[in-house]
């Protein structure tokens, strides 16, 4: 009896204990669920990506670039883009590279990718992964981009923008002189003849010279087309200077002949960049000139001008300079996935 009474009494206690235990467990589960729900609802701390650029800022004078940045941040509120535009770009980059304090993303002007990659300042891109991303369309980039964005066989930047040179001429002046522009551009002999004709009408046209080849602000770019068209090269096969070759010398001699005949002034520094050439063309002081794509917007609408192909060698060989800038991820970047996400947006169809 006593045993039975004991079991009955303790059975009730056990039921109460189980009930309490179940209630405690339920409360613990509810608390954990609420905790997890709260974690899921908590906003992520935004990742800040710093970008350094020599141009193309987010100011009012660079609306297109500003819209790209704004568009990316609307789609990716967890990634904040901190843009920095500098004037003395090369000095700043090299200084920060030495100090190991680089920004996350670096605009790599033509030739900069190889310098920074060699210095260990850039991270490699996983090209296989980029090609596997069907939305990104990596294979749509120009084949020439590989020459500008790779170092030692690896991609250290992705193509961002670029442009080449073209020539423009004053239609009214050419018409007065009866000069017809060949569809494929003047051969060297035809170019010389056109300069001669323009010079003969110098006073009538009000020009100082038929053209200006370029100035010392970009002497290497100036001679590249002429050297290439003559069959020369800046470098020999053994990577020594190729400017002493017969072909390269012939290119310099041709340009010098234009100076000697008075068709172009002696090559000298006219000012910063290429604006001096366009200013003289707009003012009617020269009848034709070489213009970089990015500076063509400075050509005035009140001048009756047209574009033409660059002069070509007498055998038809034609060459011009192509600039292609890339953007790379610095080796010190702590958020390379976020950085690459922005680069892919910037260099996609939407961004471009």
């Amino acid at each position: 009896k006593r045993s039975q009474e004991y079991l009955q009494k303790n059975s009730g206690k056990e039921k109460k204990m189980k009930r309490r235990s179940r209630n405690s467990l339920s409360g613990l589960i509810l608390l954990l669920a609420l905790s997890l729900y709260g974690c899921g609802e908590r906003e992520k701390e935004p990742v800040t990506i710093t970008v350094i650029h020599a141009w193309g800022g987010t100011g009012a004078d660079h609306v297109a670039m500003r819209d790209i940045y704004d568009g990316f941040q609307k789609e990716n509120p967890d990634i904040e883009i901190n843009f920095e535009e500098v004037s003395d770009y090369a000095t700043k980059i090299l200084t920060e590279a030495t100090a190991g304090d680089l920004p996350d993303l670096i605009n790599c002007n033509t030739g900069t990718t190889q310098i920074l990659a060699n210095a260990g300042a850039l991270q490699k891109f996983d090209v296989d992964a980029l090609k596997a991303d069907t939305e990104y369309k990596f294979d749509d980039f120009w084949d020439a981009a590989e020459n500008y964005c790779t170092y030692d066989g690896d991609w250290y930047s992705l193509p961002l923008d670029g442009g080449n040179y073209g020539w423009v001429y004053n239609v009214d002046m050419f018409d007065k002189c009866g000069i017809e522009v060949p569809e494929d551009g003047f051969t060297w002999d035809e170019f010389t003849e056109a300069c001669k004709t323009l010079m003969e009408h110098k006073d009538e046209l009000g020009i100082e010279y038929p053209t200006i080849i370029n100035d010392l602000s970009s002497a290497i770019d100036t001679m590249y087309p002429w050297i290439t068209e003559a069959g020369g090269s800046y470098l020999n096969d053994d990577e020594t200077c190729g400017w002493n070759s017969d072909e390269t010398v012939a290119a310099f001699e041709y340009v010098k002949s234009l100076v000697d005949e008075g068709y172009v002034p002696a090559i000298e520094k006219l000012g910063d960049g290429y604006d001096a050439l366009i200013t003289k063309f707009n003012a009617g002081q020269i009848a034709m000139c070489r213009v970089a794509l990015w500076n063509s917007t400075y050509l005035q609408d009140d001048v009756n001008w047209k574009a033409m192909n660059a002069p070509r060698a007498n055998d038809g060989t034609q060459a011009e300079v192509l600039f292609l800038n890339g953007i790379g991820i610095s080796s010190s970047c702590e958020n390379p996935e976020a950085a690459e996400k922005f680069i892919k947006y910037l260099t996609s169809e939407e961004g471009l």
Side-chain angles (χ1 to χ4, degrees), residues 85-149:
E85 186 176 10
V86 296
S87 55
D88 195 359
Y89 173 78
T91 301
K92 183 174 179 62
I93 284 293
L94 292 175
T95 301
E96 293 185 351
T98 303
D101 188 28
L102 286 165
D104 298 307
L105 295 179
I106 304 172
N107 167 231
C108 301
N109 294 338
T110 301
T112 308
T113 295
Q114 291 74 22
I115 295 172
L116 293 176
N118 181 57
L122 294 175
Q123 299 185 26
K124 296 179 186 178
F125 282 95
D126 185 344
V127 176
D128 290 336
L130 292 174
K131 289 183 176 181
D133 185 349
T134 54
E135 293 185 1
Y136 185 55
K137 300 180 181 178
F138 177 85
D139 289 330
D140 282 356
F141 287 127
W142 294 338
D143 292 339
E146 187 170 358
N147 295 327
Y148 293 79
C149 299

Side-chain angles (χ1 to χ4, degrees), residues 252-298:
F252 276 96
E253 287 179 342
Y254 173 71
V255 172
K256 184 176 182 300
S257 73
L258 298 176
V259 176
D260 292 342
E261 292 293 336
Y263 301 153
V264 299
I267 297 177
E268 59 186 11
K269 188 171 177 60
L270 302 173
D272 293 332
Y274 310 94
D275 294 346
L277 302 180
I278 297 177
T279 299
K280 288 182 176 294
F281 180 79
N282 287 336
Q285 296 172 357
I286 54 176
M288 57 181 168
C289 71
R290 185 177 181 235
V291 177
L293 176 64
W294 52 92
N295 277 340
S296 60
T297 54
Y298 295 111

Side-chain angles (χ1 to χ4, degrees), residues 172-339:
D172 295 335
M173 291 184 184
F174 273 51
D175 285 348
K176 283 182 180 179
C177 297
I179 301 173
E180 293 186 8
V181 178
E183 184 176 347
D184 295 330
F186 293 113
T187 63
W188 286 11
D189 287 346
E190 291 169 342
F191 185 78
T192 302
E193 190 62 31
C195 288
K196 179 181 178 183
T197 302
L198 289 165
M199 202 61 181
E200 290 172 350
H201 293 79
K202 175 183 176 181
D203 294 337
E204 177 188 351
L205 300 173
I207 60 174
E208 296 175 356
Y209 296 94
T211 187
I212 296 175
I213 295 297
N214 217 320
D215 63 357
L216 285 181
S217 62
S218 189
I220 293 178
D221 300 339
T222 298
M223 289 305 303
Y224 175 82
W226 308 101
I227 291 173
T228 304
E229 290 171 1
S233 176
Y234 276 9
L235 296 175
N236 297 315
D237 293 338
D238 60 359
E239 296 189 358
T240 57
C241 180
W243 281 31
N244 288 327
S245 70
D246 293 341
E247 293 83 3
T248 303
V249 170
F252 276 96
E253 287 179 342
Y254 173 71
V255 172
K256 184 176 182 300
S257 73
L258 298 176
V259 176
D260 292 342
E261 292 293 336
Y263 301 153
V264 299
I267 297 177
E268 59 186 11
K269 188 171 177 60
L270 302 173
D272 293 332
Y274 310 94
D275 294 346
L277 302 180
I278 297 177
T279 299
K280 288 182 176 294
F281 180 79
N282 287 336
Q285 296 172 357
I286 54 176
M288 57 181 168
C289 71
R290 185 177 181 235
V291 177
L293 176 64
W294 52 92
N295 277 340
S296 60
T297 54
Y298 295 111
L299 293 166
Q300 292 177 186
D301 293 336
D302 58 355
V303 177
N304 186 13
W305 63 269
K306 280 187 179 181
M308 64 179 179
N309 278 306
R312 53 199 173 98
N314 292 328
D315 65 1
T317 302
Q318 199 164 34
E320 252 306 348
V321 173
L322 170 66
F323 285 92
L324 196 151
N325 305 314
I327 186 165
I329 303 173
S330 73
S331 54
S332 59
C333 177
E334 296 180 354
N335 297 288
E337 291 183 3

